[in-house]
Amino acid sequence: MSDCHDCGIAKTAPALGVVPPPKATVQRLVAIVGPPNSGKSTLFNRLTGLRQKVANFPGVTVEHHLGKAHLPGHHDVDLIDLPGVYSLQPRSEDERVTFDVLNGKKAGLRAPDAVVVVLDSTNLSRHLPLVASILSLRLPTFVVLNMADDLRQRGGSVDVESLANELGVPVALISANTGEGVSSVLRFLTGGIAIPKPVELPVLNDLPACRQWARRVSDESGYNRPAPPVWTRRLDGIFLHPVWGPLVFLLVVGAVFQTIFTGARPLMEAVQAGIGNSGQWLRGVMPDNVLRSLLIDGIWSGVGAVIVFLPQILLLFLFIAVLEDSGYLARAALIADRTMARAGLQGKSFIPLLSAYACAVPAIMATRTIESKRDRIATILVAPFMTCSARLPVYTLIIAAFVPDKPFIGPFVYTRAAAMMGLYVLGFAAAVFTARVLKSSILKSERTPFVLEMPAYRMPTWNSIGLRLLDRTKAFLKRAGTVILGVSVILWVLCSVPMVDGHAPPIEQSLAGTLGRTIEPLIKPLGFNWKIGIGLITSLAAREVIVGTLGTIYGMEPDRDAAGLQAALHRDLTFGGALALLVFFAFSMQCMSTLAVVRRETGGWKWPAIQFTYMGVMAYICSFVVNRIWG
Amino acid sequence: MQLSVKDGAAGLSARTLADLRDNEEAMLDHIELPSDFALRLMELGFLPGHAVAAAHTAPGGDPRVFRVDGGEIALRRETARHIFLRKH
């Protein structure tokens, strides 16, 4: 670390015990710690790139991210991204996890060899006290002052060299967003790391004393507070305006849905054409036997029908990522807080519920930050009502088949996008209603306070958004390759037996058909026939499986026509039945992964059973009513 | 900072964060909330003697964003009522 003047890293005097770089067999483990919103994850993503995985240690309360930093000419370094904390006083569960990991008390994980503390350089007085707690651990430490670009732009400055002297550890000013100074972090990760020099630390559980210490340290190191973020205030003047605020909110949401519908179409059509053509080609080159039927009629039409929706799901995630990274999501949470309060839920429930728009599984894990057990269970129970991305293929398929595309709200939002928005609102309303019922009956408790930090607005970077989209693609394809593939194969078998003269029977006479017709009396009142019934059974595994299932069923039909799923669906559903099917999918709990995670998080089958039954009954009754009215 | 600091006993009429007008700045005195939550607020900068200002309000009037210690924190009115201000 001698030639680093250009990258803002400061040297420290020769330290006490210099730890030599680790031996080839043991990889160094470095923990990344920092307050919320300091850019830990951005740095983590920069350092690890694609070499990361989401790890979920059994029995702990928060998700960690593990990854590897790869440096040419060095051994990889294992990195662990810890939840954001302001101190190491283990009060809440997040803090306990961070505390345990740093102290080597976490089961299944050894103590880290070094710590990288990431602070927001634009707000040192609030973020420095954490360094005092970390230094008291006596682990090799590197202090990273992030958001150097923001600091400079807003006229702030800090003398890195004197701060390093004050803290007794190396300090670097970086910008994880632009990549500035990140090389200094890499050098720390691979170089000889030193135990911090002893410096005077405040009494750690005396907050005012910690603040005074932080103030003294930042004064000594010539810290110049940056000017307030002018643009953030200007933007908040609009986004939190009593009239414009909600209007912008609705406009943003409307634009998102419209784009999801129309913007993804060309890509989806291309994917569909690719799958269709390759299927035709395979049909031509393969001999007419059972294998060809399994591959094309079972797998190709089943898995293919779901894969078509990948562009749409990615577009949804692109929007979520942009809203999240820009800082707008915190404002949306603020606007929505009154509604949450009316439902008896606290502000902390909002973030899990928002992430449930992507998937209920991480949302349910995110409820671990809620201290009140009753609030936590209430949030877990309502999270699956939020419209997760697995519902998107189902909704799109049915809406595209049954709702004509006409301008609806002005020339911008069309009826299909509006219908989709309506379904999202329906899910949210069901969640709020259920929370209200739960919180005024079996899960009654005192209201818990709401505290939400408003981060400064920031330009999202392609780097971080790209990584997340890639992650999503992997997760989606993995699901297509496991659950959906598995169900497609089983379904193909069920559709192919009992064989008639060595050929698959007419689908009504197959085992799958028999199953569907067995439950038909039960679902007839909802406007569904036996084919939809088969889809309802298979989609118990995961919601989007019904799309694959219908793909397989229609694929097995001899009079399959080229217009595809939508046209085929038109023969089997009335308008009322289609609406009922949408409502059924909005409310019912068709997701094994969610049930499994609820069982794990609540420690038993009681709550998942209640949830499954409640959601199922609600779905049945509402679909029945809808089919009655419009059927 | 420019306000004078007095350690007078807070009477019943003591003002709280909830009484702040738009853009009004004041000095924090003490928090009357369960200690876990009070500590969390202190970590975020709600410390005795620190300046606090009322900023944007969510449409509908609640919650409200407060500027404290270089950051912006949103609190509900029911919480703000328990954070007391120093008298001028």
Side-chain angles (χ1 to χ4, degrees), chain A residues 161-229:
Chain A
E161 198 112 6
S162 8
L163 186 59
N165 271 328
E166 289 292 323
L167 299 175
V169 293
V171 176
L173 189 61
I174 73 157
S175 167
N177 245 346
T178 64
E180 170 194 343
V182 170
S183 53
S184 67
V185 184
L186 287 174
R187 264 189 296 256
F188 169 78
L189 294 179
T190 50
I193 49 179
I195 302 288
K197 279 194 302 177
V199 290
E200 193 192 326
L201 293 178
V203 180
L204 290 179
N205 50 19
D206 182 351
L207 252 167
C210 284
R211 282 311 189 101
Q212 253 164 24
W213 172 83
R215 170 157 302 196
R216 188 184 61 75
V217 167
S218 54
D219 283 350
E220 298 282 327
S221 48
Y223 179 57
N224 230 334
R225 230 174 215 251

Side-chain angles (χ1 to χ4, degrees), chain B residues 60-81:
Chain B
D62 197 30
R64 193 173 204 190
V65 179
F66 295 97
R67 277 185 200 128
V68 63
D69 199 21
E72 300 204 333
I73 317 287
L75 300 175
R76 281 182 188 163
R77 174 170 284 272
E78 62 193 32
T79 306
R81 276 195 298 119

Side-chain angles (χ1 to χ4, degrees), chain A residues 482-502:
Chain A
T482 52
V483 178
I484 295 164
L485 179 71
V487 173
S488 295
V489 170
I490 293 170
L491 188 71
W492 176 84
V493 171
L494 291 182
C495 288
S496 307
V497 290
M499 295 272 224
V500 183
D501 308 328

Side-chain angles (χ1 to χ4, degrees), chain A residues 495-528:
Chain A
C495 288
S496 307
V497 290
M499 295 272 224
V500 183
D501 308 328
H503 286 284
I507 195 140
E508 295 96 306
Q509 259 106 62
S510 72
L511 201 49
T514 312
L515 265 177
R517 279 181 304 156
T518 310
I519 67 159
E520 195 172 23
L522 187 68
I523 55 171
K524 196 112 205 176
L526 311 184
F528 310 152

Side-chain angles (χ1 to χ4, degrees), chain A residues 86-87 91 123 125-126 207 211 225 233 236-237 240-241 334 337-338 341 345 347 447 449-454, chain B residues 36-37 39 42-45 47 56-60 62-63 65 67 69-76 78:
Chain A
Y86 283 105
S87 73
R91 280 195 309 268
N123 201 340
S125 59
R126 182 132 53 94
L207 252 167
R211 282 311 189 101
R225 230 174 215 251
R233 293 193 178 174
D236 272 343
L240 296 178
H241 189 273
L334 191 67
D337 178 65
R338 266 166 83 88
L345 283 177
R447 293 233 290 185
F450 166 81
V451 187
L452 187 66
E453 218 183 325
M454 299 283 126
Chain B
D36 266 15
F37 185 49
L39 280 171
M42 284 162 81
E43 279 173 1
L44 289 167
L47 283 159
H56 304 281
T57 307
D62 197 30
V65 179
R67 277 185 200 128
D69 199 21
E72 300 204 333
I73 317 287
L75 300 175
R76 281 182 188 163
E78 62 193 32

Side-chain angles (χ1 to χ4, degrees), chain B:
Chain B
M1 303 292 142
Q2 57 272 64
L3 301 173
S4 68
V5 179
K6 269 192 206 152
D7 275 311
L12 282 172
S13 60
R15 294 180 79 216
T16 66
L17 270 188
D19 303 319
L20 277 184
R21 286 180 297 272
D22 278 350
N23 293 317
E24 188 189 348
E25 201 183 61
M27 197 78 92
L28 288 162
D29 191 69
H30 69 283
I31 301 174
E32 286 180 10
L33 283 166
S35 68
D36 266 15
F37 185 49
L39 280 171
R40 187 161 149 59
L41 288 174
M42 284 162 81
E43 279 173 1
L44 289 167
F46 291 92
L47 283 159
H50 274 217
V52 63
H56 304 281
T57 307
D62 197 30
R64 193 173 204 190
V65 179
F66 295 97
R67 277 185 200 128
V68 63
D69 199 21
E72 300 204 333
I73 317 287
L75 300 175
R76 281 182 188 163
R77 174 170 284 272
E78 62 193 32
T79 306
R81 276 195 298 119
H82 297 286
I83 303 176
F84 290 84
L85 301 170
R86 282 192 186 163
K87 287 186 205 150
H88 298 202

